[in-house]
Amino acid sequence: MSVSEMFAALQGALGQDQDIREEIRKVVQALEQTAREILTLLQGVHQGPGFQHIPKKCQKAREHFGTVRTQMESLKTKFPADQYYRFHEHWRFVLQRLVFLAAFVVYLESETLVTREAVAEILGIEADRERGFHLDIEDYLSGVLTLASELARLAVNSVTAGDYSRPLRISAFINELDSGFRLLNLKNDSLRKRYDGLKYDVKKIEEVVYDLSIRGLNKEATVGGGGEK
């Protein structure tokens, strides 16, 4: 084979690879748009009247996740099944965002932490990497850390809306979450930096709870039976 023939073959391989990346990019753009729609919908819970419409917003978000599952099915067909991590960087960010959104919906519904397996089911992908397109553990953990930041914001807005019991429940949840992360030996630099931000979320929520305490509103929240979820 001549040098020109060798490089012509290399160009063909590069072109094929670029075509795959372009197809992936198109589906990822659609996923990002759906994620923005879900986020916009859920942001309504931070507004005063939003607390009264949490069940409806969660139900609507679940419907959007149906679109996500369809888009994920399309994404799976765009690259060889054994090359997940070769192209992972293309969808890593949007997948972490979708994990956060799924976790936020589940928290709003039940005030519990969604499992990685449950998130994978919501998104229409696998939890086990041996079974193909899957939810990487680090992507799951990154989404959960974003949830912590969102709940810190929700704690503040709950007080503004007159819901004094919710910040107490959020505080208990975040402290339990923090304890869970302390059990992990995080090697990933990006994930480690994001975890370092969790302590600021904990501090922010503790300040909200302390403010309720000195104003005597934490007792009112307890007597009130814990408030509505």
Side-chain angles (χ1 to χ4, degrees):
M1 182 182 292
S2 67
V3 172
S4 60
E5 289 174 334
M6 290 172 59
F7 275 84
L10 292 174
Q11 176 57 38
L14 289 174
Q16 185 178 27
D17 185 81
Q18 186 59 40
D19 290 342
I20 291 175
R21 295 180 185 277
E22 179 62 23
E23 289 299 310
I24 291 174
R25 186 185 66 82
K26 292 177 182 177
V27 182
V28 168
Q29 284 182 332
L31 279 167
E32 288 171 343
Q33 177 60 35
T34 306
R36 284 192 292 270
E37 292 172 0
I38 298 173
L39 180 60
T40 299
L41 174 67
L42 294 178
Q43 288 302 294
V45 305
H46 291 287
Q47 302 169 1
F51 290 100
Q52 301 169 5
H53 304 297
I54 285 178
K56 290 183 179 179
K57 291 183 180 298
C58 289
Q59 181 181 357
K60 189 66 176 178
R62 291 274 187 177
E63 294 173 4
H64 281 293
F65 277 113
T67 301
V68 170
R69 287 191 290 274
T70 300
Q71 292 166 338
M72 283 294 185
E73 284 298 322
S74 176
L75 181 58
K76 295 174 189 178
T77 68
K78 303 304 181 184
F79 64 96
D82 60 346
Q83 296 185 20
Y84 176 91
Y85 283 106
R86 181 182 180 187
F87 301 104
H88 175 244
E89 194 65 25
H90 288 280
W91 59 75
R92 179 176 62 86
F93 176 78
V94 70
L95 189 57
Q96 292 175 2
R97 173 62 61 89
L98 289 167
V99 170
F100 149 63
L101 293 170
F104 193 27
V105 168
V106 171
Y107 180 84
L108 290 173
E109 290 174 339
S110 62
E111 297 191 356
T112 59
L113 176 63
V114 68
T115 65
R116 184 164 69 99
E117 291 74 15
V119 174
E121 183 177 353
I122 291 171
L123 301 183
I125 58 180
E126 302 292 341
D128 185 353
R129 64 182 297 175
E130 276 70 37
R131 299 184 64 180
F133 195 107
H134 63 282
L135 175 56
D136 186 83
I137 292 176
E138 292 178 352
D139 289 337
Y140 166 74
L141 293 174
S142 293
V144 170
L145 287 170
T146 304
L147 171 67
S149 298
E150 190 73 8
L151 292 181
R153 179 187 172 202
L154 186 63
V156 174
N157 291 328
S158 296
V159 176
T160 303
D163 186 346
Y164 304 130
S165 64
R166 191 179 298 272
L168 305 181
R169 303 196 303 274
I170 290 176
S171 178
F173 176 83
I174 292 298
N175 279 312
E176 188 175 359
L177 194 64
D178 183 46
S179 297
F181 269 95
R182 290 177 185 276
L183 297 175
L184 303 178
N185 183 20
L186 299 176
K187 302 289 187 180
N188 181 292
D189 290 340
S190 175
L191 186 59
R192 177 71 198 188
K193 289 178 181 178
R194 296 193 66 179
Y195 166 64
D196 289 340
L198 180 59
K199 63 184 178 182
Y200 297 107
D201 296 324
V202 172
K203 182 179 179 182
K204 184 177 182 179
I205 296 170
E206 286 177 344
E207 289 174 350
V208 173
V209 173
Y210 175 74
D211 184 58
L212 290 173
S213 177
I214 62 176
R215 293 163 59 189
L217 296 175
N218 61 331
K219 296 179 180 179
E220 177 182 328
T222 303
V223 173
E228 295 183 2
K229 292 184 181 181

